[in-house]
Amino acid sequence: MEQTIKSSKNTENTNVFYTVAMRGLVAFPKMVMHFDIAREKTVAAIEKALKNNEKIFLVAQHESYVENPKANDLYKVGVVAEIKQVLKLPENIMKVLVEGVYRANLVRLTDDGDVLRAEVKRTPTYSRAKIDEVEAEALMRSIKDVFERYAQFVPRMPKELISSVMTQDDPVKLFEAVVFNCSLNYRDKQTLLEESNILNKLSVLFTCLSSEIEIMELESIINEQTRNNIDKGQKEYYLREQLRVIQEQLGEDDGEEVFNYINDIMALKIDEKSRDKLLKEADRLSKLPSASQEAFVIKNYLDTVLDLPWGKYTKAKISLEKAESILDNDHYGLKKVKERIIEFLAVHAINPKIKGQIICLAGPPGIGKTSIAKSIAKAMGRNYVRVSLGGVRDEADIRGHRKTYVGAMPGRIITALQQAESANPLILFDEIDKLCSDMKGDPSSAMLEVLDSEQNSAFRDHFLEVPFDLSKAVFITTANNVGDIPAPLLDRMELIELPSYTAEEKFHIAKEHLVPKQLKEHGLKGTQLKIQDDALHDIIAFYTKEAGVRTLERYIASLCRKGAKKIASGDAKRVTVKVKELHDWLGTRKYTSDIASNKNQVGVVNGLAWTSVGGVLMPLEVIALDGTGKTEVTGSLGDVMKESSKIAVSYVRSIADKYNIDKEFYKKNDLHIHAPEGAVPKDGPSAGVTMTTALVSALSGRKVRCDVAMTGEITLHGKVLPIGGLREKTMAAYKAGIKTVIIPAANKPDLEEVDNTVKNAIEFIFAENLMDVLENALTD
Ligand code: ADP
């Protein structure tokens, strides 16, 4: 029930009501209207009033943007209204239907934090002063005139309403019919509400309606002009004018946001079709309540699109000399790789518009692929971004999700461009061999489109919806294992393989690059922390086992951290890391070096394998036991090894006589072949020669030379076929103290890649067939 308060100062009655602060809306007595509410206090006011079966006080805010209005933010005159209907919409929005009952002055506003309540005093809607009939008639005619013009602009205005206005002869009814049905600025409406004298009301109404018509006329002229002549400038003008109108209608600030969006969209360097699409979104935004989920989605979308580097290019200029010095300064060694890159840059320098040249830097982790890509970006004067493709299995990772999905985002390509802040960056696609495909779509086909110079000038991201031009970007990819790159992608790329580093190279990289880099990162001067050369050698040999230098760099960083701590805590002014104290700095050694056994044995052969950490010496063991002809293979090589073992057994049967082997061995003996675990080799077949040699040794009882290592694939007829990774394998043999390495004759040209230190220390035997291998490996 309405609560009546007796004011202590005067005897007039006031009532207290739950109160709704209206944004951009003004109610009138007798007017039926509906509006949406979302603010908690407003929702609470409606709910409480409904519960207590009370009326509600509706009063407009001076400024629509004020979220939490105080008494000063509200007009002093409002309307007490009856709640007719309430509809709950999603997202905590309520639609409320009310009917104004009487006008009331706001006496006092109370806010308990949850809900607004107002003490109000009823005032008569129209003053009872006598009116001048002639003046009233004149005003009524004028209003009917402007209303008629107004109706022309509002095509959906009901005919009955127009005729009832035109024939109305009661000033109050005329006023109400016009005010309740025309959309006027809320400030004007408030003035109309506050005025009591009906003649004054009519006169203000006339002015408001006239200016409203002026705006509408202007709008229609602009519309007309736009239709006739849509050139860019005019469109901009049109939009700004339309926006001005929207702003006026909404109260300045709601429109300001949309206005800014439109301004930004107009400033984008973007094609007309895309611009239209974005403008359409801004237009939709202007029509939505700013707190709605949909408005949020559109704002997020526009923010993302506007943040992209449309038409922004860094000045790409290539000086080959500078490029060469950048590459040399940043990287030790890698002579061949640098040459290939300079060639690539030369092509770009001659023809900057060249398309579709994509380099793939391939090799094990930590050998500088990423850092070479960064240097290339520097040399080309382009911004650098890295996109990791490891584990990407969903096409949407590349191309994004439609913006209507909850939490939708653009894909990795568009995100990368956003980070790059230019439309012609160098994008590094890291680990392209780790792209997976499953039922969620094939990301590699999306990648194909990205890399294809024919298609990527209009790359489509699902989130973005408008095409983005990727054709000015330069792409570089990296892969650990070329064999895992999807073939259609591999087809498009020019492969540059980076070999793994020898210990000597690692030492130079550490000394010349990693140590200075880490010192700098830890804020240390070269004089403050020194790492002895021997200590570096020791770390390389006993703390790391890797093709690249990543773990090595981590250990150096760890030394710097510990050194910095010592210096900072005042324990020492400068520190030197000595080899004999390495144990204290880094803990116990992690690896022992692969040293070949120094005893010739039966059935044990030094194989050489190529693994993800570089080459390794891998002894292979075979024993022959009395049995029934079973072959057992254990260890890390699995299926490939089993196949090789079958070939080996057949071959050994064919040469059994020559080595005094019982021809029936494959029936009488069980063979157990074992390749130790450890790093998993990538090339099982190259253990063919090793296995056959071990088998012949085990069956004939002849020992195998412990200072010989070998690698090679075999055929059934005993031919030795070429293998990969010669450089890494021979390096491993050298480190293990091997004197002689047997390699396939077909690999002879590859010796050129082998490190000189290795070539000087090792004797190479080139095997055409297995006889060459056996003759050199078995003792007499
Ligand atoms: P990848 O991308 O091949 O895994 P990174 O480029 O991340 O390897 O290299 C690891 C670290 O080793 C980086 O700090 C890099 O600068 C350094 N590095 C690798 N190779 C060299 C080299 N030849 N000269 C100087 N630093 C190198």
Side-chain angles (χ1 to χ4, degrees):
M1 290 303 331
E2 292 168 25
Q3 202 182 333
T4 306
I5 295 176
K6 291 253 187 232
S7 162
S8 56
K9 287 216 175 100
N10 56 45
T11 52
E12 288 172 283
N13 287 351
T14 57
N15 295 316
V16 174
F17 294 102
Y18 291 109
T19 298
V20 172
M22 313 272 279
R23 303 210 248 202
L25 286 177
V26 176
F28 286 85
K30 290 198 262 175
M31 179 177 175
V32 177
M33 67 188 291
H34 61 77
F35 49 89
D36 291 349
I37 56 171
R39 283 185 286 185
E40 280 177 15
K41 280 188 191 167
T42 316
V43 172
I46 296 287
E47 281 175 343
K48 288 190 183 212
L50 266 183
K51 197 166 150 224
N52 299 342
N53 203 13
E54 283 175 19
K55 294 195 183 65
I56 188 117
F57 181 58
L58 307 173
V59 58
Q61 295 182 198
H62 288 289
E63 304 294 350
S64 307
Y65 63 81
V66 177
E67 263 307 306
N68 199 1
K70 307 275 177 304
N72 281 346
D73 298 318
L74 301 177
Y75 284 104
K76 290 288 168 282
V77 182
V79 165
V80 172
E82 200 166 314
I83 304 172
K84 293 278 186 194
Q85 203 182 31
V86 173
L87 203 65
K88 285 201 171 154
L89 302 178
E91 320 285 348
N92 284 339
I93 295 174
M94 268 189 190
K95 206 175 239 334
V96 186
L97 185 74
V98 294
E99 181 174 2
V101 182
Y102 59 82
R103 193 169 71 155
N105 286 348
L106 176 62
V107 178
R108 194 169 55 218
L109 186 76
T110 54
D111 180 354
D112 66 0
D114 296 330
V115 69
L116 294 180
R117 282 158 70 87
E119 183 186 337
V120 304
K121 183 166 168 290
R122 182 172 184 152
T123 56
T125 313
Y126 302 100
S127 74
R128 293 195 193 95
K130 203 166 164 357
I131 58 168
D132 178 338
E133 297 286 341
V134 178
E135 195 185 346
E137 183 56 33
L139 273 170
M140 280 165 64
R141 277 194 205 168
S142 316
I143 287 187
K144 285 177 189 171
D145 276 354
V146 279
F147 181 78
E148 202 175 9
R149 275 165 67 203
Y150 180 89
Q152 286 166 5
F153 288 107
V154 188
R156 268 178 290 166
M157 181 156 308
K159 293 230 164 49
E160 310 81 68
L161 173 69
I162 302 174
S163 67
S164 91
V165 168
M166 299 315 283
T167 54
Q168 191 51 262
D169 51 13
D170 178 68
V172 170
K173 287 201 177 125
L174 177 69
F175 174 82
E176 287 172 348
V178 174
V179 171
F180 296 0
N181 292 294
C182 292
S183 71
L184 300 173
N185 183 323
Y186 78 96
R187 293 178 205 272
D188 291 342
K189 283 193 171 178
Q190 183 67 30
T191 318
L192 289 170
L193 176 68
E194 288 179 9
E195 186 54 65
S196 298
N197 182 303
I198 183 65
L199 286 190
N200 290 349
K201 273 184 179 279
L202 288 175
S203 146
V204 175
L205 178 60
F206 173 73
T207 321
C208 299
L209 213 51
S210 306
S211 83
E212 188 65 30
I213 286 173
E214 254 173 55
I215 295 171
M216 290 168 105
E217 273 172 353
L218 180 58
E219 244 188 334
S220 106
I221 291 169
I222 296 161
N223 267 326
E224 191 66 22
Q225 273 182 357
T226 323
R227 238 171 282 128
N228 292 344
N229 188 6
I230 303 189
D231 77 357
K232 196 180 149 219
Q234 245 158 357
K235 193 163 180 177
E236 202 170 325
Y237 174 63
Y238 163 70
L239 287 161
R240 283 190 210 287
E241 277 306 320
Q242 217 172 34
L243 205 85
R244 194 177 61 75
V245 178
I246 295 172
Q247 264 178 309
E248 273 185 19
Q249 301 266 321
L250 289 176
E252 312 258 293
D253 302 289
D254 283 359
E256 175 134 353
E257 195 174 28
V258 179
F259 179 77
N260 287 341
Y261 277 128
I262 294 184
N263 251 344
D264 292 349
I265 294 169
M266 295 311 296
L268 282 187
K269 286 187 189 152
I270 194 172
D271 63 285
E272 279 307 306
K273 223 167 135 195
S274 302
R275 191 188 308 284
D276 283 347
K277 146 94 191 139
L278 297 180
L279 288 174
K280 234 182 243 165
E281 294 288 336
D283 185 47
R284 263 181 66 207
L285 181 62
S286 71
K287 293 180 182 138
L288 291 168
S290 62
S292 68
Q293 173 70 20
E294 220 184 329
F296 176 76
V297 167
I298 297 180
K299 278 190 246 175
N300 179 36
Y301 169 74
L302 290 176
D303 287 342
T304 310
V305 175
L306 290 170
D307 200 29
L308 288 176
W310 299 99
K312 255 193 224 167
Y313 298 103
T314 55
K315 222 174 180 184
K317 218 171 136 196
I318 303 172
S319 135
L320 290 184
E321 256 167 53
K322 205 170 128 217
E324 230 172 323
S325 83
I326 289 176
L327 281 171
D328 282 338
N329 284 343
D330 294 351
H331 298 94
Y332 173 85
L334 298 173
K335 195 160 159 266
K336 266 198 173 167
V337 175
K338 288 176 186 166
E339 272 170 24
R340 293 278 300 274
I341 288 166
I342 294 293
E343 283 165 22
F344 164 84
L345 293 177
V347 176
H348 263 273
I350 294 168
N351 182 3
K353 292 210 179 78
I354 195 152
K355 286 178 170 180
Q357 265 208 329
I358 298 160
I359 286 183
C360 175
L361 299 169
I367 48 168
K369 300 183 291 295
T370 317
S371 77
I372 284 188
K374 276 191 206 161
S375 299
I376 299 177
K378 228 192 306 177
M380 295 180 91
R382 289 170 189 256
N383 295 352
Y384 164 87
V385 258
R386 172 174 168 270
V387 178
S388 167
L389 295 178
V392 167
R393 41 179 68 244
D394 188 349
E395 196 204 351
D397 268 336
I398 307 285
R399 248 186 227 288
H401 286 283
R402 301 208 172 281
K403 68 174 183 297
T404 41
Y405 278 79
V406 178
M409 281 193 310
R412 294 190 189 207
I413 313 296
I414 292 299
T415 311
L417 283 154
Q418 209 171 348
Q419 287 165 2
E421 294 176 3
S422 72
N424 63 340
L426 182 146
I427 304 184
L428 178 73
F429 291 114
D430 214 2
E431 303 195 313
I432 198 158
D433 53 334
K434 305 272 184 342
L435 270 183
C436 321
S437 65
D438 63 9
M439 70 258 197
K440 277 195 181 159
D442 183 2
S444 65
S445 67
M447 276 312 292
L448 265 183
E449 187 188 325
V450 173
L451 298 181
D452 186 345
S453 55
E454 299 297 317
Q455 297 182 49
N456 67 9
S457 58
F459 172 70
R460 282 189 180 273
D461 181 282
H462 292 322
F463 180 88
L464 218 57
E465 291 175 2
V466 291
F468 196 96
D469 181 5
L470 298 178
S471 64
K472 308 285 184 308
V474 169
F475 303 114
I476 292 188
T477 64
T478 79
N480 288 342
N481 193 356
V482 178
D484 291 345
I485 303 177
L489 281 176
L490 188 59
D491 260 4
R492 259 153 241 258
M493 299 188 289
E494 191 187 330
L495 213 59
I496 300 186
E497 287 190 76
L498 279 77
S500 52
Y501 293 123
T502 63
E504 202 52 32
E505 284 168 331
K506 287 183 188 175
F507 170 75
H508 282 285
I509 293 172
K511 196 159 167 77
E512 288 154 36
H513 295 271
L514 304 181
V515 174
K517 188 165 123 195
Q518 288 303 327
L519 285 176
K520 199 166 155 211
E521 269 175 31
H522 288 81
L524 290 166
K525 291 199 193 85
T527 48
Q528 287 176 302
L529 186 123
K530 284 207 168 94
I531 304 176
Q532 277 188 343
D533 289 357
D534 286 353
L536 282 178
H537 281 299
D538 219 64
I539 297 172
I540 293 164
F542 302 114
Y543 288 85
T544 66
K545 191 168 193 151
E546 58 179 348
V549 290
R550 211 173 265 175
T551 321
L552 177 59
E553 185 169 23
R554 222 173 290 140
Y555 275 113
I556 293 170
S558 163
L559 291 177
C560 291
R561 245 188 341 267
K562 290 179 175 155
K565 190 172 154 218
K566 278 193 182 173
I567 293 168
S569 64
D571 285 354
K573 275 220 170 95
R574 49 180 75 87
V575 262
T576 305
V577 180
K578 296 183 185 136
V579 64
K580 56 179 190 288
E581 292 162 4
L582 215 47
H583 180 271
D584 302 331
W585 286 88
L586 300 176
T588 46
R589 289 176 169 184
K590 303 285 181 291
Y591 304 99
T592 49
S593 48
D594 284 333
I595 299 292
S597 151
N598 55 6
K599 256 189 13 220
N600 299 341
Q601 292 177 72
V602 173
V604 181
V605 181
N606 294 317
L608 291 171
W610 184 24
T611 76
S612 58
V613 298
V616 289
L617 183 81
M618 206 167 73
L620 189 92
E621 304 173 347
V622 175
I623 50 172
L625 306 157
D626 290 343
T628 54
K630 275 185 287 193
T631 308
E632 177 122 37
V633 181
T634 54
S636 59
L637 285 172
D639 287 346
V640 187
M641 199 67 147
K642 272 182 204 137
E643 278 198 1
S644 296
S645 75
K646 285 189 189 138
I647 299 175
V649 168
S650 300
Y651 176 75
V652 174
R653 277 172 66 191
S654 72
I655 56 157
D657 279 346
K658 191 164 183 336
Y659 287 90
N660 290 330
I661 295 171
D662 181 353
K663 267 199 152 161
E664 302 284 288
F665 80 89
Y666 68 99
K667 288 187 196 155
K668 293 185 196 157
N669 292 120
D670 282 352
L671 297 171
H672 188 162
I673 302 167
H674 178 65
E677 295 283 350
V680 180
K682 292 231 163 75
D683 54 348
S686 72
V689 290
T690 323
M691 186 159 350
T692 316
T693 310
L695 206 58
V696 172
S697 160
L699 290 167
S700 67
R702 277 173 69 176
K703 289 185 177 167
V704 186
R705 278 173 56 189
C706 64
D707 60 351
V708 172
M710 60 185 69
T711 175
E713 195 179 335
I714 51 165
T715 68
L716 257 184
H717 289 96
K719 203 166 161 347
V720 176
L721 301 179
I723 44 82
L726 190 71
R727 181 184 142 95
E728 282 79 10
K729 288 175 175 175
T730 52
M731 174 61 62
Y734 164 74
K735 280 199 263 179
I738 296 289
K739 300 278 177 322
T740 309
V741 174
I742 305 175
I743 63 170
N747 278 113
K748 200 169 178 179
D750 300 335
L751 269 189
E752 201 189 311
E753 289 171 17
V754 172
D755 208 77
N756 279 335
T757 351
V758 176
K759 272 194 267 195
N760 294 338
I762 282 180
E763 182 198 354
F764 286 94
I765 292 170
F766 306 103
E768 294 281 355
N769 56 50
L770 271 164
M771 282 304 151
D772 301 333
V773 179
L774 294 172
E775 289 312 307
N776 287 292
L778 297 174
T779 56
D780 292 333

